[in-house]
Amino acid sequence: MKKRFLSIILASCMSIGLLAGCATTTVEEAGEAAPADAPAATETAAETTDSTTSETLSGEGDQTIHVFLYMQEHEKDIYQKLIDEFVEEHKDQVKEVVFEVTTQDEYNQKMIANMTANDMPDVFYVGPAAVRSYVDNGYVLPLDDYVDADTIGKIWGTTQEIYRYDGTNIGSGSLYAFPKDLSCFAFAYNQDLFDEAGLDYPDPNKPYTYEEFEEVCKALTKDTDGDGEVDQWGVACADQWGMTPILYSNGVKFLNEDMTKVNVANNPQLTEALTFYTDLTRNGLTPSVEQDTALGGYQRWLDGQVAFYACGTWDVAAFMDPNTFPYKWNLCGWPVGPSGDGRSHTWMGSVGYAVSATTEYPDLCAELVAKLSTDEDGQRAVSGITTGASIQLPNIVDLAYGEFKDAVADGTVPYASDVDVIFGYFDNNDHYAAALQEMDYTYNSEWFTPFWSGVFNIKNGDIEVQDYLNQVEPEMQELLDEAIELQNSATK
Amino acid sequence: MAKTKVKVHRSAMAKREERWAWLFIAPPFIGFMLFMAYPIVFALVASTSKWTGVNSLLGNIVGLRNYIKIFSDAKFWKSMATTIIYMIGIPIGMILGMTIAMGLNRKIPGKRALTTMYYVPVVSSLVAVSILWAWVFNYDYGLLNGIYKFLTGAHGPNWLGDEHMVKISMIIFMVWKGLGGTVILYLAGLQNIPRDYYEAAMIDGANGWDKFRNITLPLLSPVTFYVLITSLIGGFQVFVEVQVMTPNGGPNYSSATVVFYLFEKAFTNGQLGYGSAVAVILAIIIFIITAFNFWGQDKWVKTID
């Protein structure tokens, strides 16, 4: 009897260890390999720091501001300089600015820990999808009262819309964050491979149609070393990021207007576009599903194995670096489907600096985020005008169209010469259009996961497009319902 | 008079000792309350809510709804099934570990070097060796398929990219990773078996198999029991290698484990309440299995006494 009692005690201890352990160890361990929210992080992971770093600067005042962000090492140097300047400018008030930087993977977990402990940093990031819940739960401060309208007016209209919220809708009301960046996911081609194949370069003013794109891809897919196996492909796309621009360019929307219903099973535009997209692989114009598991498209693009690949605004510096990408390349539009509005579409992304609603120094913090977002020297640095490495477009519209474009034209900023493709997407002109993805407006993007993560089954020929869409819709709808429920859950 | 004085003196000392006793008990007790009891209660409460980490925990209590939902949650059951399939590696690891330990238990040259080699994976960072093995398993450029192609001329299997193969790959990795620990434990167990048992058996005319069957195996049973319990518990908690080698949970979610699912729910999709419920269910399952094992140990675990 005694022994049995002991057994139960021991067993309890062991399983209790699990329950308590789950909350702690997994969080730490996962940071090293968690899937990133944006491709920017996965593709430049090598440059990010492994652990949190924080630096402290001293002024003569008594106010301490805690800034908590994620970014890459070389970006950190740029922002560190801005913060140093800020401390210098306000040294009578500020004692120190604690600038803590972590990896993108760990950021959310640390923020949840901060929220749970009611110990929010004064300045932190908020992504488009989080604006509603952060505001509803009272974490972030409206910035309109602290920053003058001129400063707000300098930034891209899109970023103003993303971070405005009136309690019901995004796009109007108070401004809750200043953008760190506004990015877009453009398309690029390897000019050397075009030259070898004797093909004309894509016209930046007239993106390919689906048909034209397929023809070009056929001409660029070949066996270069004559061993009987194809080793150069027309295009490679990551299903999670590179598929959607091709679908959007055929007018696809995954959700209905008010984003409450998933619309994929009965969506002819989607069926058509997804058939086109998966046929690229079925017809051998992209690496096969198996080959893709061995080496992803990004690596194959860097190795010169694929002619077309996606190019985010954050990728430009890397692609212009001959050590990373020793080929000539340029920008072009994603191919346009027959059933859309005739324009090439892609998605945009952004993250913004927000100020904690509980900060003791709202004025100072608001001024700091405005500086981080719109300081001209800072924007010259991140866009490459003064650093030669462009990881984003300037947040200031005038700077982007003026100094930045001039610097691209005269070669000060190493950049693809068809930079107008990116400006086209930002401008929503006659040929190009870009918008945030629907996932950026729902509480989480879980509902989209079953869609993109199963597309390889179509490429493999295990299921047909329409069957796939019929099969995946109920699961997507269920997850969307959950997301809506969480969005509307009781606030703090 | 003197007596009373002594008595008073004693009681002061006893009091002091008692205070010291409390002081010594305090660190583990406070540690337990802070890092075990509190998180457990917190997880239990959270598991009955729609807590997202951002919203109000207590304002979103939904009772047992998360638990009810889990029972019809296909992804949960899929990941649970995968977790259990991975446990095929436990008996394989135990048999291999015992065999290697018996080999190492003889006077052979390079014994220390071999033992160290087997133990290296155990002390290596799980993340680092997972990254390494992701390359070993790589479809086009991996070591395994390189050898396969050299030997057969054909292309090897898609170790991490095929729904079924990925499970086998994970099992291979886990056996490799855990083997050293099992070997060391069995080696210690073997060295604890008194020589005279074998001598007595030899006099009685027992052969090698008889000795293994009737002496080694039963007297190693406490080690086997320990390895089994810890492997089962560890088996339910597999996470890192899955996360590193197949960041999206493998093709059609075929490599995802329960803890992987839990993590994804809680931290990628912001459903900490639901994630907590999954954790509670997992803890209950582990409790039941462990209790069952302890209950059953009388039947097969033998000690020298």
Side-chain angles (χ1 to χ4, degrees), chain A residues 477-491:
Chain A
Q477 184 63 53
E478 199 181 312
L479 293 167
L480 179 67
D481 291 342
E482 264 175 39
I484 293 168
E485 203 186 317
L486 291 174
Q487 183 72 66
N488 299 328
S489 61
T491 55

Side-chain angles (χ1 to χ4, degrees), chain B residues 205-275:
Chain B
N207 62 22
W209 169 251
D210 290 333
K211 282 191 279 182
F212 172 74
R213 177 74 190 76
N214 296 309
I215 301 173
T216 314
L217 207 53
L219 291 180
L220 280 182
S221 59
V223 177
T224 307
F225 178 69
Y226 176 80
V227 172
L228 181 70
I229 296 270
T230 50
S231 307
L232 275 173
I233 294 172
F236 276 109
Q237 298 171 328
V238 169
F239 171 75
V240 177
E241 47 268 60
V242 177
Q243 173 81 308
V244 173
M245 287 199 250
T246 54
N248 296 314
N252 294 328
Y253 220 60
S254 53
S255 66
T257 57
V258 178
V259 178
F260 182 91
Y261 179 63
L262 182 168
F263 179 83
E264 204 180 60
K265 272 281 172 192
F267 295 103
T268 310
N269 298 313
Q271 301 178 41
L272 282 120
Y274 195 83

Side-chain angles (χ1 to χ4, degrees), chain B residues 161-174:
Chain B
D162 178 86
E163 243 179 284
H164 307 291
M165 215 54 217
V166 71
K167 294 195 172 76
I168 296 173
S169 308
M170 287 293 172
I171 292 172
I172 293 174
F173 172 80
M174 287 173 207

Side-chain angles (χ1 to χ4, degrees), chain A residues 5 23 104 156 187 193 195 199 201 222 234 251 264-265 293 299 322 328 341 358 407-408 429 464 468 480:
Chain A
F5 177 71
Q104 187 173 0
W156 293 95
F187 207 32
L193 301 189
D195 292 343
L199 293 168
Y201 298 147
K222 49 189 166 187
V264 301
T293 59
Q299 205 59 43
K328 279 196 291 154
D341 60 5
T358 54
V408 170
N429 65 15
E464 294 308 313
Y468 179 75
L480 179 67

Side-chain angles (χ1 to χ4, degrees), chain A residues 242-277:
Chain A
M243 168 175 64
T244 46
I246 294 179
L247 306 185
Y248 295 152
S249 297
N250 197 41
V252 167
K253 287 215 175 337
F254 295 100
L255 304 180
N256 67 347
E257 196 64 29
D258 62 3
M259 305 206 180
T260 53
K261 288 276 169 284
V262 172
N263 174 30
V264 301
N266 235 323
N267 186 338
Q269 286 164 306
L270 175 57
T271 309
E272 179 180 48
L274 191 59
T275 305
F276 170 77
Y277 174 76

Side-chain angles (χ1 to χ4, degrees), chain A residues 196-215:
Chain A
E196 275 167 30
L199 293 168
D200 291 336
Y201 298 147
D203 181 351
N205 294 314
K206 194 178 167 299
Y208 288 125
T209 63
Y210 275 6
E211 274 175 32
E212 289 163 350
F213 181 68
E214 198 180 343
E215 288 309 311

